[in-house]
């Protein structure tokens, strides 16, 4: 009788993720808590990937019969007690459905192959040889910059095709973009830092109202493509990597915020 194939252990998958992403080497915001945030009974049969860990995405993961969910934004950004009401419901669902959560924030932004920035740059057609580290934050560079000649209109069209919606443009810079910085997510408030690093065009997810005038003052173009839309890449890439290594099915749980 053939020997049954054992299920991959959660511990082995977490070790692989930690080796790839090096969460211990990153400073991050306090609530990020990079790494395994919730464990399960010890085995994994199906992986789900989502941008955010929330009651809604946990319910989607359970419906998908996943026992491990990979997320970019984990559970602990705001105070996590008391566990009542919706927080209790989340905890109950996690435990009753044996669902583990692994979260990776800045390590997944910055990863040279699996990262949000690397995949957005590749989707835009920027060759790796044209990319350099960019945007020094929390002790290291977390973004990428590309030296390339592309019209602002063409760049906008590419972003719209990739992200599924027309990006918001702050047209403070030149019509031809030659130094493009990419930091996915919510880096708009750090526009001054991006400009100081010498880019004429900055691609990120979202930013506050006052950055429009700042972009004009700094002489820089800014594209806001959506915090959610610019950060779907990394969790998909990490889930696909785990699927290939551990021979597990996976799926992406799309729960867009519109932001």
């Amino acid at each position: 009788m053939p020997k049954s194939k054992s299920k991959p252990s959660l511990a082995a998958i977490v070790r692989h993720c930690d080796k790839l992403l090096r969460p211990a080497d990153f400073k991050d915001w306090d609530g990020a808590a990079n790494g395994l945030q919730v464990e399960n009974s010890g085995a994994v049969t199906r992986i789900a990937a989502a941008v955010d860990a929330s009651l809604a995405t946990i319910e989607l993961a359970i419906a998908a019969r996943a026992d491990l969910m990979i997320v970019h934004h984990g559970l602990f950004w705001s105070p996590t007690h008391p566990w009542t009401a919706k927080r209790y419901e989340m905890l109950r669902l996690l435990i009753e459905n044996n669902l583990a959560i692994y979260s990776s924030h800045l390590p997944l932004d910055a990863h040279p192959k699996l990262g949000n920035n690397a995949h957005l740059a590749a989707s835009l057609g920027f060759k790796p040889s044209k990319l350099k580290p960019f945007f020094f934050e929390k002790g290291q560079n977390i973004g990428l910059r590309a030296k390339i000649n592309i019209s602002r209109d063409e760049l906008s069209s590419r972003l719209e095709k990739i992200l599924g919606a027309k990006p918001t443009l702050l047209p403070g810079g030149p019509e031809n973009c030659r130094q493009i910085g990419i930091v996915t997510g919510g880096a708009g408030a750090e526009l001054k830092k991006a400009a100081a690093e010498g880019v004429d065009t900055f691609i990120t997810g979202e930013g506050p109202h006052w950055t429009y005038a700042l972009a004009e003052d700094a002489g820089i173009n800014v594209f806001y493509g959506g915090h959610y839309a610019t950060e779907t890449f990394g969790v998909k890439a990490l889930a696909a990597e785990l699927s290939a290594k551990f021979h597990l099915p996976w799926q992406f749980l799309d729960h867009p915020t519109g932001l």
Side-chain angles (χ1 to χ4, degrees), residues 83-102:
W83 285 84
T84 59
K86 294 290 187 180
R87 296 295 286 186
Y88 165 76
E89 180 67 7
M90 185 185 299
L91 179 62
R92 183 185 68 80
L93 287 174
L94 288 170
I95 293 173
E96 288 183 356
N97 293 278
N98 194 40
L99 180 61
I101 294 182
Y102 186 97

Side-chain angles (χ1 to χ4, degrees), residues 69-166:
M69 184 162 72
I70 302 294
V71 299
H72 185 51
H73 302 130
L75 293 167
F76 305 120
W77 294 101
S78 57
T80 58
H81 55 80
W83 285 84
T84 59
K86 294 290 187 180
R87 296 295 286 186
Y88 165 76
E89 180 67 7
M90 185 185 299
L91 179 62
R92 183 185 68 80
L93 287 174
L94 288 170
I95 293 173
E96 288 183 356
N97 293 278
N98 194 40
L99 180 61
I101 294 182
Y102 186 97
S103 180
S104 185
H105 186 235
L106 288 188
L108 194 52
D109 283 323
H111 196 276
K113 291 183 179 178
L114 303 176
N116 288 312
N117 297 302
H119 275 271
L120 180 52
S123 298
L124 286 166
F126 300 166
K127 296 179 180 178
S129 60
K130 299 289 185 181
L131 299 174
K132 301 292 182 185
F134 169 68
F135 204 82
F136 194 77
E137 180 68 51
K138 299 290 184 183
Q140 57 189 293
N141 291 297
I142 61 170
L144 294 169
R145 63 184 295 166
K147 187 176 181 181
I148 192 168
N149 189 354
I150 184 173
S151 75
R152 191 168 62 193
D153 288 346
E154 172 61 20
L155 184 55
S156 182
S157 294
R158 290 189 192 182
L159 283 167
E160 182 176 2
K161 184 176 180 181
I162 293 162
L163 302 175
K166 190 176 182 64

Side-chain angles (χ1 to χ4, degrees), residues 49-60 228-229 232 252-259:
V51 174
D52 305 293
S54 67
L55 180 57
T57 56
I58 287 168
E59 289 173 338
L60 289 173
Y228 178 91
T232 61
F252 177 63
L253 309 174
D254 195 18
H255 188 63
T257 64
L259 301 172

